[in-house]
Amino acid sequence: MDTKSSALKEGFLIKRGHVVHNWKARWFVLTPDKLLYFKYEGGKKDSSQRGKILLKDCVITCPFLEHENRPLVLKLHSKPGVDHFLEACSREERDAWAADIRAAVDRLRAAEGGEAKPSSAETRLQNVELSKVLDSMYDVHSGIKTGSHVEQGSTYSNCFSGSAAVDWLVSVQFALTRVEAVTLGSALVEMGLLQPVGLRSVEALRSAGLSQQLQDDSTALYSFADSLKKRGSVKAETSLSAMELSGKVVKRGYLLKQGHRRKNWKVRLFVLRSEPAFLHYFDPSRV
């Protein structure tokens, strides 16, 4: 098969190794029936592929939040029973890859005369008990991580972003889609179980409808209600420096960067921030 003519999507993802569990940048090519990946060195893609993931009957888990400090991972469980862990550069990029891979899997199933699995999301959402959601969310070991966040120059502690809450609700399958997670999270806000923190989430509470009082936004902050905090302390994530958090993220993505001394090319995760303006770059295998 001609990879170029059959490619549905291409781009960098960070892949965890099967034997040695380190993370390496790879160039991925999505085709109608498989996901190919290549090594990228010296500023160009290796002509020979490093591996492939067959998509027939593949199960996608997105987001997959069991890797500490790596919230942008998705998991592919292929038919031979092998798990593949891939990390994107942003939530949008991660979700786009998951959606495209899932669509390819559904097309393969339909071509064989099967049907896409029916969604029971509406029934399931109606049967969810908010008290159980809140207890699970607050759990010290498996609940959502809280930490310090900076919004418009002000620092807020023991809080989390709306997008992190949506990620968590989907990952533990209280909701099946991000839209349903927003609806469920908004119900927690409406009941006063979660409270907005900072200008972004407070403004949304005033202007949004009842089903969108929790914003799927990394700059909209929330915390648990004061009455819940009396139960005990919540696990906090490793805090970043104030400088890293203070700027507004304008864009994230993978780029090839030439080294200053060796002049070799390496994949780096670039983060463009404003107010103050900085362009940071990191080794994505160590972030």
Side-chain angles (χ1 to χ4, degrees), residues 6-282:
S6 63
L8 304 174
K9 186 182 182 71
E10 297 187 43
F12 283 116
L13 290 170
I14 310 304
K15 180 182 180 296
R16 196 187 77 162
H18 291 297
V19 180
V20 180
H21 291 173
N22 53 356
W23 297 80
K24 297 287 187 180
R26 294 289 181 258
W27 183 262
F28 279 79
V29 178
L30 175 63
T31 72
D33 62 345
K34 62 181 71 75
L35 186 61
L36 310 174
Y37 54 93
F38 302 80
K39 196 173 182 180
Y40 216 102
E41 283 190 341
K44 61 181 180 179
K45 183 181 72 176
D46 195 327
S47 59
S48 59
Q49 69 185 47
R50 301 287 293 182
K52 64 183 177 181
I53 302 170
L54 299 179
L55 298 182
K56 185 174 182 256
D57 298 325
C58 188
V59 178
I60 302 99
T61 302
C62 180
F64 184 80
L65 301 179
E66 294 184 19
H67 287 296
E68 191 72 20
N69 298 325
R70 289 184 179 271
L72 302 176
V73 172
L74 61 94
K75 182 179 82 169
L76 304 182
H77 182 75
S78 58
K79 191 174 181 180
V82 179
D83 289 333
H84 307 269
F85 302 97
L86 312 176
E87 183 182 42
C89 63
S90 67
R91 286 183 172 86
E92 294 78 12
E93 188 74 7
R94 177 199 64 193
D95 294 344
W97 272 102
D100 289 338
I101 294 170
R102 188 174 286 115
V105 173
D106 288 343
R107 284 193 293 269
L108 287 172
R109 186 181 294 116
E112 293 186 349
E115 295 181 358
K117 296 180 180 179
S119 174
S120 58
E122 292 184 6
T123 302
R124 189 170 183 171
L125 198 57
Q126 291 173 356
N127 294 332
V128 169
E129 295 183 25
L130 291 182
S131 60
K132 289 185 177 180
V133 175
L134 189 67
D135 288 341
S136 298
M137 204 173 197
Y138 194 76
D139 186 270
V140 172
H141 302 290
S142 59
I144 191 168
K145 295 179 181 179
T146 65
S148 297
H149 295 262
V150 176
E151 184 197 0
Q152 297 185 11
S154 298
T155 302
Y156 303 94
S157 59
N158 293 324
C159 59
F160 49 88
S161 70
S163 55
V166 170
D167 275 353
W168 185 87
L169 289 167
V170 173
S171 72
V172 298
Q173 298 186 337
F174 276 125
L176 300 183
T177 68
R178 299 188 76 81
V179 173
E180 289 161 5
V182 168
T183 301
L184 185 56
S186 296
L188 294 172
V189 175
E190 173 68 15
M191 295 293 291
L193 302 174
L194 298 181
Q195 57 190 23
V197 176
L199 295 176
R200 179 73 181 86
S201 55
V202 170
E203 289 174 358
L205 185 63
R206 294 171 181 168
S207 59
L210 292 178
S211 63
Q212 294 190 348
Q213 292 193 10
L214 183 136
Q215 299 288 300
D216 187 0
D217 188 328
S218 61
T219 64
L221 305 178
Y222 301 87
S223 69
F224 293 105
D226 292 337
S227 58
L228 189 64
K229 294 176 184 177
K230 294 178 181 178
R231 294 184 186 179
S233 60
V234 182
K235 177 176 59 176
E237 64 181 349
T238 304
S239 59
L240 300 175
S241 69
M243 179 61 72
E244 292 293 330
L245 290 171
S246 62
K248 179 182 178 182
V249 176
V250 177
K251 190 176 182 67
R252 292 168 59 96
Y254 296 124
L255 292 171
L256 285 166
K257 180 185 178 297
Q258 186 186 53
H260 294 294
R261 296 181 180 178
R262 297 183 181 179
K263 304 298 181 183
N264 54 349
W265 293 82
K266 297 286 186 179
V267 177
R268 292 294 180 255
L269 172 62
F270 280 79
V271 181
L272 177 63
R273 291 182 170 88
S274 65
E275 301 176 10
F278 282 98
L279 181 61
H280 299 100
Y281 58 91
F282 309 88

